[in-house]
Amino acid sequence: MRKPKKQKRKIDAAPSASLDLRVALNVILDQVMIQLKANAANILLFDPHTKTLISAARSGFRSHASASDPRLGEDRAGRAALDRRIITVPDLAAEPAEFVRSAKFAEEGFVSYVAIPLIAQGQVKGMLEVLYRVPLSPTEDWLRSLEALEGQVAMAIDNASLLDNLQSANLDLTRAYETTLEGWSKALALRNKETEGHTARVTELTVRLAHAMGVPDADLVHIRRGALLHDIGKMGIPDQILLKPGPLTDEEWVVMKKHPAHGYELLSPIPYLRQALDVPYCHHEKWEGTGYPRGLKGEQIPLAARICAVANVWDALRSNVPYRPAWSQERAIDYIREQAGKHFDPAVVDVFLRLIGQSV
């Protein structure tokens, strides 16, 4: 029994079709069913910690209750994995005690069974079970084809598992990064004694505004990180200036206005954050060109920074601070509207006003 090359390519290509291991296994299983003309098939993955073969993809079974997860050396599948050899049972009725399954398995009506250990790079990756509801008389050619198929499936599963593990590792790393950023943000808030929740509110509003303006989801991730760290440069501002309860002198303002540049210097060496730099570096630039640190004007200012500028000022105005009480919503809205085309990008202001339910 020779396998068509087209089907082989489908098995080999399965992992590249999806980073989802379960999807890849089902693609593989479909091709196994076609090539071996099986009535049912089951792919079990080996868990080296529990020494158990765990069913990961099944096809052709009448009931999920007929599944079982044998341990290494247990049942035909476990023994085939332990011995690293193909086991065929042409007549299941002839040796019922040798084939331990759930009570529901008898209702499946299987007559013949084949267990194929899946070995890649010298390690057992799992087990492929192939079942028939008709008698099976395996020939030498059929067995040779089966052995070749075992190598293809094992390698495909190994590759798919590597991709799945890499995806999981990347997800864990991303979560660790995000937790670190949130920790930096909270550390700054504690030092700065800012209004409780300011950074979280600015971040949430910045992301909402960006989404409403049609910013792609892939870019929203970077905008969120930038908003979380929009004031991180204040870590470089001396306490006597950062924590001063009253207005700053002209000389002190010169120092305070350096915090976007400090933020850039702090974050730019981190490749992970380079696409988030626009917000901490440019959120104090003004549409008319009178902002800092670089005096950018209009669309020279990155869109993410223009969006965060509105969110940052809005939250500052609506919060109580030592030198003034919070503004009313009406007064803050009037200020934001009046600053369109001066401090703020008019297009961002329009979306902001619509977002909070105000007419433009």
Side-chain angles (χ1 to χ4, degrees):
M1 181 185 295
R2 295 187 181 277
K3 299 165 293 303
K5 291 183 179 180
K6 182 178 180 181
Q7 300 291 0
K8 179 183 183 299
R9 284 198 299 271
K10 285 187 178 180
I11 289 178
D12 292 342
S16 62
S18 172
L19 286 180
D20 188 323
L21 177 59
R22 302 293 171 175
V23 173
L25 291 180
N26 281 301
V27 172
I28 293 168
L29 201 60
D30 288 344
Q31 298 309 311
V32 167
M33 295 278 286
I34 292 170
Q35 292 187 48
L36 296 182
K37 296 181 173 57
N39 296 118
N42 184 25
I43 294 178
L44 303 101
L45 299 181
F46 179 60
D47 184 340
H49 302 292
T50 62
K51 307 297 182 184
T52 302
L53 292 162
I54 301 172
S55 181
R58 311 171 78 234
S59 181
F61 292 85
R62 293 168 179 165
S63 170
H64 287 289
S66 62
S68 68
D69 297 331
R71 291 177 59 82
L72 194 67
E74 176 185 272
D75 202 343
R76 285 290 186 178
R79 287 166 62 182
L82 182 63
D83 296 341
R84 298 189 174 206
R85 64 183 179 88
I86 295 174
I87 291 179
T88 61
V89 184
D91 184 4
L92 287 172
E95 36 184 291
E98 292 293 318
F99 200 87
V100 180
R101 290 286 173 171
S102 69
K104 287 285 184 180
F105 187 79
E107 301 174 9
E108 293 283 354
F110 294 127
V111 174
S112 305
Y113 168 86
V114 185
I116 307 105
L118 302 174
I119 300 171
Q121 302 183 49
Q123 296 183 330
V124 175
K125 300 297 180 180
M127 178 64 55
L128 171 62
E129 295 183 313
V130 183
L131 301 107
Y132 297 85
R133 294 186 174 93
V134 296
L136 175 67
S137 299
T139 64
E140 288 298 321
D141 286 344
W142 188 88
L143 288 173
R144 280 195 294 270
S145 297
L146 193 63
E147 290 174 355
L149 179 64
E150 177 272 331
Q152 296 170 32
V153 176
M155 188 58 66
I157 288 175
D158 190 43
N159 291 339
S161 298
L162 287 173
L163 288 171
D164 190 63
N165 292 338
L166 179 61
Q167 186 181 43
S168 296
N170 284 339
L171 182 59
D172 290 342
L173 185 60
T174 298
R175 287 172 177 163
Y177 280 145
E178 297 300 322
T179 301
T180 299
L181 299 188
E182 291 171 6
W184 287 355
S185 175
K186 290 176 181 178
L188 175 62
L190 289 173
R191 177 174 181 263
N192 193 21
K193 296 182 173 57
E194 68 173 23
T195 303
E196 184 176 359
H198 167 75
T199 297
R201 291 191 301 271
V202 169
T203 300
E204 189 269 341
L205 181 54
T206 298
V207 172
R208 284 176 59 205
L209 266 172
H211 178 73
M213 295 191 71
V215 173
D217 289 348
D219 294 332
L220 290 180
V221 174
H222 302 296
I223 289 176
R224 177 183 178 275
R225 292 169 186 160
L228 272 174
L229 300 172
H230 72 278
D231 273 341
I232 194 67
K234 288 183 177 178
M235 296 292 283
I237 303 300
D239 284 352
Q240 62 267 28
I241 295 177
L242 184 66
L243 305 181
K244 187 176 180 178
L248 300 181
T249 65
D250 290 344
E251 292 78 12
E252 289 169 337
W253 265 116
V254 170
V255 176
M256 177 62 82
K257 287 181 178 180
K258 291 180 179 179
H259 80 266
H262 292 329
Y264 180 85
E265 292 164 3
L266 175 66
L267 302 177
S268 58
I270 305 173
Y272 177 77
L273 294 174
R274 283 177 188 161
Q275 290 178 273
L277 282 175
D278 286 344
V279 175
Y281 196 23
C282 304
H283 70 287
H284 280 297
E285 303 287 355
K286 294 186 178 181
W287 184 257
E288 62 184 4
T290 59
Y292 61 91
R294 292 183 290 165
L296 300 180
K297 184 176 182 180
E299 293 187 358
Q300 292 177 336
I301 307 168
L303 177 59
R306 285 180 262 149
I307 293 171
C308 185
V310 174
N312 187 44
V313 171
W314 167 259
D315 190 78
L317 294 176
R318 296 284 292 132
S319 301
N320 289 310
V321 291
Y323 51 87
R324 63 153 178 81
W327 286 16
S328 68
Q329 178 167 303
E330 293 75 14
R331 184 183 178 188
I333 287 172
D334 288 342
Y335 179 82
I336 297 290
R337 182 184 287 114
E338 188 269 332
Q339 287 295 311
K342 299 176 183 177
H343 188 157
F344 307 122
D345 178 349
V348 177
V349 172
D350 287 348
V351 174
F352 168 77
L353 294 175
R354 288 198 299 271
L355 196 64
I356 61 172
Q358 300 294 321
S359 60
V360 179

